[in-house]
Amino acid sequence: MQFFGGSEISPSPPVPTTAGNNAHMMYVFNRNGVCLLYREWNRPLHTLNPQQDHKLMFGLLFSLKSLTAKMDPISSDKGNLGVPQLPGQGCSFHSFRTNTYKLSFMETPSGIKIILVTNPRTGDLRESLKYIYNLYVEYVAKNPLYTPGTSIRCELFSTALDQYVRSIA
Amino acid sequence: MAAIYSLYIINKSGGLIFYKDYGSKGRMDTNDSLRVASLWHSMHAISQQLSPTLGCSGIELLEADTFDLHCFQSLTGTKFFVVCEPGTQHMEALLKVVYELYTDYVLKNPFYEMEMPIRCELFDINLTQAIQKDRVALLGR
């Protein structure tokens, strides 16, 4: 896994893949599975209470990652199924699609997981997630008042995020 | 060339009933393939729970770093999924063909017990052909 945006302060946002407002929700987890941020823009269906929902989402991503690491048809040494892996270790995944939504996923070298749920017809959002990570670094990680591991309450980050997600999705 | 790495069929309760490997490195042993299959069954179910809108029927395509996984679920809950190179086309069509072969050569076989592992020679033969035909079609373009 490569580091992105090492020296650039704010690279220009990637070109939008589709037009229209079709982002459903977004999650940010840290490496311990704590949900740092949850935002929803358009979510008519809630099957669980928020806490359970976040846990289920983290569990899904964790298990899918161990599944892809085990299934990887390229490498021959894959270890055992279900053994926790460090960020960037083993074969990961970047998105999955169902008939009602598409989930794009990115894990940074520090174990921050960014999840964006959009319309199923959305294109590749890898660059967009990197841009969102850059927003996180600029507005949250560099904020002296922010304690790592606590939920994100930075107004500037929220506005920048809302604005950007509206522009891409 | 776009290649297919492996094919799985799991029954409605998540048990692996068919697994064929077409040359992936570090081939999985029987226990691992069973575990992976039932793990996929659960992930498929959880993805339906997390849907932001009504009417979700589970993961259809999983894009990993080194492979794509296409999944097709029949009306009776049997899941067919194929692991292939990233960006391989026509996998939905291939899965439909596999489903058709399954109904013809497995379900119509009087000696086949439902939800049990598939051991039908005719199914194997026709499946091999279907997958090769698919490769040929891809090569021709």
Side-chain angles (χ1 to χ4, degrees):
Chain A
M1 179 179 280
Q2 80 278 23
F3 278 95
F4 11 78
S7 56
E8 303 160 85
I9 300 299
S10 176
S12 57
V15 197
T17 45
T18 48
N21 183 17
N22 62 15
H24 290 297
M25 59 235 191
M26 185 179 143
Y27 299 79
V28 176
F29 292 101
N30 73 0
R31 61 163 173 256
N32 300 321
V34 178
C35 186
L36 302 180
L37 177 86
Y38 171 70
R39 285 194 78 84
E40 64 181 47
W41 292 280
N42 170 26
R43 187 178 188 181
L45 179 69
H46 291 84
T47 45
L48 299 161
N49 68 47
Q51 240 179 352
Q52 296 293 329
D53 180 75
H54 301 163
K55 274 193 211 166
L56 196 65
M57 176 56 84
F58 187 80
L60 174 69
L61 298 168
F62 183 88
S63 310
L64 270 181
K65 213 190 144 200
S66 54
L67 180 101
T68 53
K70 187 68 203 173
M71 266 195 169
D72 183 11
I74 303 297
S75 82
S76 46
D77 180 36
K78 289 177 281 203
N80 286 322
L81 184 68
V83 175
Q85 283 177 315
L86 294 170
Q89 199 183 24
C91 172
S92 185
F93 69 101
H94 58 85
S95 75
F96 71 75
R97 179 168 59 78
T98 75
N99 57 340
T100 55
Y101 67 98
K102 173 171 175 162
L103 183 146
S104 309
F105 166 76
M106 183 182 85
E107 189 173 28
T108 71
S110 56
I112 299 281
K113 292 180 176 66
I114 301 176
I115 296 104
L116 190 60
V117 179
T118 53
N119 185 293
R121 284 177 301 282
T122 321
D124 195 336
L125 287 177
R126 273 180 278 187
E127 290 303 314
S128 309
L129 288 180
K130 282 183 192 174
Y131 182 73
I132 291 174
Y133 178 56
N134 262 306
L135 291 180
Y136 166 83
V137 170
E138 293 304 320
Y139 293 117
V140 182
K142 290 187 182 173
N143 182 343
L145 299 176
Y146 173 70
T147 325
T150 56
S151 59
I152 299 170
R153 281 193 204 86
C154 302
E155 214 178 296
L156 269 175
F157 178 64
S158 312
T159 30
L161 182 71
D162 274 359
Q163 216 173 17
Y164 178 62
V165 171
R166 268 179 224 296
S167 77
I168 50 159
Chain B
M1 193 190 89
I4 293 163
Y5 290 122
S6 46
L7 173 79
Y8 298 73
I9 303 177
I10 55 183
N11 66 19
K12 61 171 177 262
S13 39
L16 185 69
I17 54 172
F18 187 84
Y19 168 57
K20 191 130 180 116
D21 191 283
Y22 298 98
S24 49
K25 280 195 189 134
R27 196 178 184 285
M28 265 187 278
D29 63 32
T30 320
N31 282 329
D32 280 335
S33 54
L34 284 166
R35 277 190 213 117
V36 160
S38 54
L39 184 58
W40 179 253
H41 180 76
S42 332
M43 296 303 106
H44 198 270
I46 292 177
S47 72
Q48 296 176 18
Q49 284 233 320
L50 286 166
S51 170
T53 52
L54 275 172
C56 183
S57 59
I59 306 178
E60 289 169 353
L61 166 66
L62 172 73
E63 291 177 295
D65 298 343
T66 56
F67 65 90
D68 275 6
L69 189 155
H70 291 259
C71 180
F72 167 71
Q73 187 178 26
S74 76
L75 288 174
T76 48
T78 310
K79 279 188 271 295
F80 298 78
F81 59 100
V82 66
V83 178
C84 58
E85 262 182 34
T88 314
Q89 301 287 308
H90 310 300
M91 284 297 120
E92 285 79 16
L94 177 77
L95 287 171
K96 296 262 163 66
V97 171
V98 175
Y99 178 47
E100 211 175 298
L101 293 175
Y102 167 77
T103 53
D104 279 347
Y105 296 103
V106 180
L107 293 186
K108 291 180 189 172
N109 181 341
F111 299 107
Y112 175 68
E113 276 182 75
M114 283 303 285
E115 318 296 333
M116 294 307 275
I118 299 170
R119 279 177 231 284
C120 302
E121 207 186 324
L122 272 175
F123 178 66
D124 286 344
I125 294 168
N126 283 281
L127 185 69
T128 314
Q129 274 177 359
I131 284 184
Q132 273 171 356
K133 231 190 281 170
D134 198 75
R135 269 188 193 176
V136 172
L138 286 166
L139 277 174
R141 285 181 308 119

